Amino acid sequence: MIKLIAFDLDGTLTQHKTPLEKENRAVLDELAARGYTLLMVGAGQCARIFRQMGEYPLDIIGNYGLQAAVYDKETGGLRTVRDLIFPVDRDSINERVDALRTKHGFTAYRGASVEFHPSGCVTFAILGTEALQADKLAFDPDRIKRRAIYDEVVATFPEYTVFVGGSSSFDMAPRPYDKLYALDAYAKEHGILHEEIVFVGDDYGPGGNDESVYLSDIRFIKVDDYTRLREALGDLLTKEATT
Ligand SMILES: [Mg+2]
């Protein structure tokens, strides 16, 4: 009874921010051939996701639902259907981030403390926007540091959904946007029920950007290694979609 398979990108179909490789592209092709509708529900911008996926033909939800784009078969490109921009009170956010930095000793950083995205999403870059890649990777590989203060960051930014993002940051999307909200809206628009959806993602732990879907009534397939996507999908690759 599955019609729609929705995917996360980084860590699920690809290595973080790297192009979709031919093995998983072939998996998507097989699912599409079985009649499933494929959907990308990403944290980044639609255009960037589309490029990272080698212009794979599917609809894309970006920025936790602030953006949406449909694949146009005739042009082979994306057509933007939603591109919301939320106002941001930068002073207020900087003040609150500074207070968190002082309290927890995260006072040293390179570049800017906070990245303000055009959409209204915000990144609290603990090591700064110009931090060295090696420092970022070494900072919190098991996410223990960020999970320790996650609840406090959530409480500090009640107007945002807060995610433990990247290697050393918190990403924030204006409420009510998150992947569940976006997926639910897409499903309603297309007359698809939750029980007809499978979501495939890797970031389902506390503060993860797939957690909202994981905790919902939608069936969730965990991918802990994107090179083993095929195994994780199990019988979806042998069954036909419901039509
Ligand atoms: Mg991911």
Side-chain angles (χ1 to χ4, degrees), residues 114-167:
V114 176
E115 184 176 359
F116 294 97
H117 302 276
S119 59
C121 290
V122 173
T123 300
F124 168 13
I126 298 175
L127 300 182
T129 55
E130 305 295 327
L132 303 177
Q133 186 65 11
D135 291 341
K136 291 202 283 187
L137 293 176
F139 175 71
D140 191 21
D142 43 22
R143 301 187 169 196
I144 288 174
K145 286 181 190 163
R146 283 170 293 165
R147 281 180 180 158
I149 63 167
Y150 178 70
D151 288 347
E152 192 178 344
V153 180
V154 169
T156 304
F157 296 97
E159 73 274 47
Y160 290 90
T161 305
V162 180
F163 307 100
V164 175
S167 51

Side-chain angles (χ1 to χ4, degrees), residues 8-12 202-203 209-210:
D8 164 61
L9 182 57
D10 284 343
T12 300
D202 73 308
D203 203 3
N209 68 37
D210 301 322

